[in-house]
């Protein structure tokens, strides 16, 4: 959505978000990514607000970042604090890992700021490397089995595969009682397992409750299957031109340009011209932007 093919926010989008922030718009970054895969985005944006808020792990965790946050400050509770979190039930963790083992799938397990993987063959190593390259993640740990993380608080599990649609169907067939939210990954080489109440839309609700902002004042951008509720729950849901069919179907608007051609920037500029967003100083509530990739 916000990130281009180089996995970066364009100069134009960065400057537009800073401008809106200066004009009183609260800007939130919402993503399927883990916290550490978002820290560099928060740092690069350097929004001119006392705090920047982010929804991570597809809605399983919300963060507050103090102004001038840098990755070197990530362990300082004064600079980065958790606003809300929802972890997977232990039974859902066990059933998901058992499914992965039965079907020879690599499972990436997210605990706090760390990712744990048990690679059993070269294909598993390749999938882990591809994910690290996609997100810039350098917080992945190789472990010899998942017993070492037994009973830990897990934000989410990724089942890595080049055929997410068939794995998603197989998971639903083999584990019909699994109490979890299941998401087809974007880019499509994993299936995501989250707490049954977690989705990016519910993460938006929790953040708005925390900030005392009405949902109908939110403008949200998204492109993936994980953005459906995110757009539905907002006052104005805008799908990117390159969005998934399910996301396009629920959108109030569709951008004229895709993420590689500054779709968010152009849409924000249009919203300013239409006076949905300020181009002069006065307070507007919350503009939420989704970044793809878990």
């Amino acid at each position: 959505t916000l990130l281009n093919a180089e996995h970066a926010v364009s100069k134009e989008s960065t400057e537009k978000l800073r401008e809106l922030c200066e004009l009183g718009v609260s800007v939130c970054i919402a993503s399927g990514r883990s916290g550490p895969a978002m820290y560099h985005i928060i740092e690069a944006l350097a929004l001119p607000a006392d705090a920047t808020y982010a929804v991570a792990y597809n809605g399983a965790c919300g963060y507050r970042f103090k102004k001038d946050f840098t990755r070197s400050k990530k362990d300082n509770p004064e600079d980065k604090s958790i606003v809300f979190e929802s972890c997977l039930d232990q039974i859902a963790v066990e059933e998901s890992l058992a499914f992965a083992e039965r079907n020879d799938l690599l499972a990436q397990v997210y605990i706090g700021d760390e990712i744990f993987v048990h690679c059993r063959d070269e294909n598993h190593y390749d999938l882990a490397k591809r994910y690290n390259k996609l997100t810039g993640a350098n917080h992945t740990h190789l472990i010899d089995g998942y017993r070492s993380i037994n009973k830990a608080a897990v934000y989410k599990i990724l089942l890595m595969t080049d055929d997410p649609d068939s794995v998603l169907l197989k998971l639903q067939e083999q584990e019909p009682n699994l109490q979890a939210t299941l998401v087809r990954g974007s880019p499509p080489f994993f299936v995501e397992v989250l707490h049954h109440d977690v989705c990016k839309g519910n993460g938006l609700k929790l953040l708005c409750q925390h900030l005392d902002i009405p949902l109908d004042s939110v403008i949200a951008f998204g492109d993936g299957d994980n953005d459906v509720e995110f757009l539905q729950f907002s006052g104005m849901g805008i799908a990117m031109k390159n969005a998934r069919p399910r996301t396009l179907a629920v959108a109030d608007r569709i951008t004229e340009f895709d993420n590689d051609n500054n779709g968010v920037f152009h849409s924000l500029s249009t919203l300013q011209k239409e006076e949905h967003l300020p181009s002069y100083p006065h307070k507007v509530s919350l503009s939420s932007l989704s970044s793809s990739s878990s």
Side-chain angles (χ1 to χ4, degrees), residues 46-76:
L47 297 175
D50 291 337
T52 296
Y53 290 85
V55 175
Y57 302 98
N58 262 330
C61 184
Y63 292 108
R64 179 187 186 275
F65 297 96
K66 190 176 178 181
K67 187 177 182 180
D68 300 325
F69 171 82
T70 64
R71 281 164 284 184
S72 64
K73 300 177 181 177
K74 65 181 179 63
D75 296 319
N76 185 346

Side-chain angles (χ1 to χ4, degrees), residues 141-267:
H141 306 277
L142 297 174
I143 56 175
D144 185 17
Y146 292 104
R147 290 185 179 180
S148 60
I149 58 170
N150 190 31
K151 307 298 183 183
V154 175
Y155 281 137
K156 69 176 184 177
I157 295 173
L158 295 191
L159 302 173
M160 311 302 290
T161 172
D162 284 313
D163 190 3
D165 295 311
S166 66
V167 168
L168 184 58
L169 287 173
K170 191 179 293 186
L171 178 57
Q172 292 167 332
E173 292 170 357
Q174 293 185 18
E175 299 290 348
N177 298 316
L178 179 65
Q179 295 296 303
T181 297
L182 305 177
V183 180
R184 177 189 185 275
S186 176
F189 67 98
F190 55 86
V191 171
E192 192 159 349
V193 184
L194 299 152
H195 184 276
H196 56 83
D197 284 334
V198 165
C199 66
K200 200 183 287 186
N202 283 341
L204 175 63
K205 283 185 177 181
L206 290 171
L207 183 60
C208 284
Q209 289 172 10
H210 176 79
L211 297 174
D212 194 24
I213 291 174
L215 280 167
D216 61 9
S217 69
V218 174
I219 299 170
F221 291 79
D223 64 358
D225 286 348
N226 60 335
D227 290 313
V228 170
E229 297 87 357
F230 186 60
L231 300 192
Q232 288 177 319
F233 294 168
S234 64
M236 183 187 295
I238 303 177
M240 303 299 292
K241 182 180 180 180
N242 55 296
R244 292 271 296 167
R246 288 183 61 221
T247 311
L248 292 169
V250 303
D252 298 307
R253 295 190 181 193
I254 298 171
T255 63
E256 183 179 356
F257 301 95
D258 62 19
N259 62 311
D260 272 336
N261 291 282
N262 281 320
V264 169
F265 164 78
H266 289 294
S267 290

Side-chain angles (χ1 to χ4, degrees), residues 25 217 219 236 253 268 270-280 282 284-285:
V25 177
S217 69
I219 299 170
M236 183 187 295
R253 295 190 181 193
L268 291 175
T270 298
L271 290 168
Q272 285 181 301
K273 292 176 183 176
E274 296 173 351
E275 298 188 3
H276 290 292
L277 288 171
S279 52
Y280 49 88
H282 74 264
V284 172
S285 294

